[in-house]
Amino acid sequence: MDFMTDQDVQKYREDGYVVLDGLLTAQECDELRQRMSEIVDRMDVPEHCRTTFSTYHDEQLKTQGNADYFITSGDKIRFFFEKGVFDDKGEFIVPKQRSVNKVGHALHAYEPLYKKVTHSPNVQGIAKKLGLSTPVILQSMYIFKQPGIGGEVTPHQDATFLYTEPLGRVMGLWIALEDATVNNGCLWFIPGSQNSGISRRMVRTPEGTFPLTDFIGREQTYDEEKFVPTPVKKGGVVLIHGEVVHRSAENMSEDSRHVYTFHIMEAQETRWSPDN
Ligand code: AKG
């Protein structure tokens, strides 16, 4: 039997997202977490995180360093931190393992365990069931949502950052490596919001200018009451349509909420924007 049923497909098409339980076993989740813990143990703290803010010039360098580190991370494994985890000398003021917001964006290419999950028969089955003929992996991330400090992710549509022509070609797979609950910052969605296009699009600015990116359009203000919380059990996956509006709250609880997430694009008759 297919891992994804016809009802799941229908729910995904209607709401723009669907939760599928049991993509990974508890043991597979623990192995991915264990591997990430080793990666973080050995990470090099990026230079711009060590820069002090003693002058305006330093501050500018830090901001530019940050932006450049982010925008060139598509084919690398890089580390992005929560706010306030370094002192003014760039030393950690919280335990290293609790400092990272996310790691991205090419775990699927370089880390065998992550590669295996990304290309697993169940994931291939999902792509097939949804009718993708030439699926390609765009990027991958490990998101920690650290206990007590994991920041909120404001309402957005993934196609703002992963823009294609036509739209409707990108899907996120968001795999809970531990239970994601309303308390520790699960995702919230506006069902059906994938049907109204995108409200803003991120673009690269001309080479040699700063900032490196800008937005065309603006994120709308959404009615808070329209968001539906979407808890997921450890090992479950949420399929996220590229245009569905979603967000996650701060994690004020004592439990972390680790996830592995990646994006798939249908490449056939699709133009991937060079501005992404
Ligand atoms: C995304 O990857 O598009 C998300 O919105 C992730 C948010 C989260 O994991 O809290």
Side-chain angles (χ1 to χ4, degrees):
M1 205 181 86
D2 286 343
F3 175 70
M4 185 177 191
T5 65
D6 291 342
Q7 286 95 312
D8 295 329
V9 174
Q10 195 181 343
K11 163 120 176 86
Y12 176 75
R13 299 223 190 279
E14 276 172 22
D15 293 346
Y17 68 98
V18 65
V19 178
L20 310 177
D21 287 328
L23 180 78
L24 300 184
T25 63
Q27 190 187 332
E28 286 170 321
C29 293
D30 294 344
E31 284 167 2
L32 290 174
R33 291 189 56 195
Q34 175 56 34
R35 179 60 196 140
M36 185 47 67
S37 165
E38 290 162 12
I39 293 171
V40 170
D41 258 347
R42 287 181 210 147
M43 75 182 162
D44 285 327
V45 175
E47 199 44 49
H48 61 265
C49 293
R50 304 259 187 217
T51 314
T52 55
F53 276 85
S54 53
T55 64
Y56 175 74
H57 182 66
D58 283 349
E59 198 173 324
Q60 289 292 99
L61 280 181
K62 188 177 174 102
T63 311
Q64 291 190 14
N66 253 320
D68 187 66
Y69 183 79
F70 179 77
I71 206 153
T72 56
S73 65
D75 57 354
K76 299 183 184 66
I77 295 178
R78 289 191 164 171
F79 303 91
F80 303 92
F81 296 89
E82 291 292 349
K83 289 202 180 86
V85 297
F86 293 104
D87 65 15
D88 57 8
K89 295 192 176 55
E91 302 297 337
F92 285 111
I93 52 178
V94 303
K96 201 177 180 182
Q97 291 284 349
R98 292 280 183 104
S99 66
V100 190
N101 169 292
K102 69 179 171 190
V103 173
H105 288 91
L107 287 162
H108 64 285
Y110 298 120
E111 277 296 320
L113 279 183
Y114 290 89
K115 191 173 192 168
K116 188 169 155 212
V117 165
T118 310
H119 296 278
S120 69
N122 275 343
V123 169
Q124 292 186 31
I126 290 169
K128 201 165 171 191
K129 187 89 186 172
L130 288 169
L132 277 64
S133 71
T134 315
V136 297
I137 307 298
L138 298 175
Q139 60 164 24
S140 53
M141 293 182 279
Y142 190 104
I143 305 177
F144 296 77
K145 207 65 149 176
Q146 303 283 3
I149 59 169
E152 76 166 325
V153 176
T154 55
H156 67 280
Q157 299 165 291
D158 292 347
T160 288
F161 308 96
L162 307 172
Y163 182 74
T164 60
E165 285 166 1
L167 285 170
R169 299 305 177 109
V170 170
M171 172 175 72
L173 278 82
W174 188 98
I175 307 170
L177 302 181
E178 46 195 349
D179 290 348
T181 66
V182 170
N183 275 343
N184 69 2
C186 69
L187 295 175
W188 295 63
F189 289 91
I190 302 185
S193 53
Q194 77 278 14
N195 294 321
S196 315
I198 53 170
S199 37
R200 61 180 181 144
R201 191 184 141 197
M202 194 192 77
V203 290
R204 287 173 193 249
T205 52
E207 227 175 303
T209 59
F210 194 81
L212 303 179
T213 57
D214 200 358
F215 287 99
I216 298 172
R218 276 205 191 158
E219 199 59 62
Q220 294 171 33
T221 309
Y222 299 100
D223 182 352
E224 203 35 51
E225 306 211 324
K226 289 190 175 154
F227 284 94
V228 176
T230 309
V232 188
K233 290 234 169 337
K234 177 173 177 172
V237 61
V238 193
L239 308 188
I240 306 174
H241 187 289
E243 282 101 83
V244 73
V245 178
H246 59 290
R247 65 170 181 82
S248 69
E250 284 175 294
N251 181 6
M252 301 310 280
S253 80
E254 293 177 357
D255 304 317
S256 56
R257 194 230 60 190
H258 290 199
V259 307
Y260 173 54
T261 179
F262 57 92
H263 286 86
I264 302 183
M265 178 183 81
E266 165 60 278
Q268 195 176 51
E269 292 177 21
T270 303
R271 181 176 176 272
W272 168 251
S273 170
D275 278 337
N276 288 333

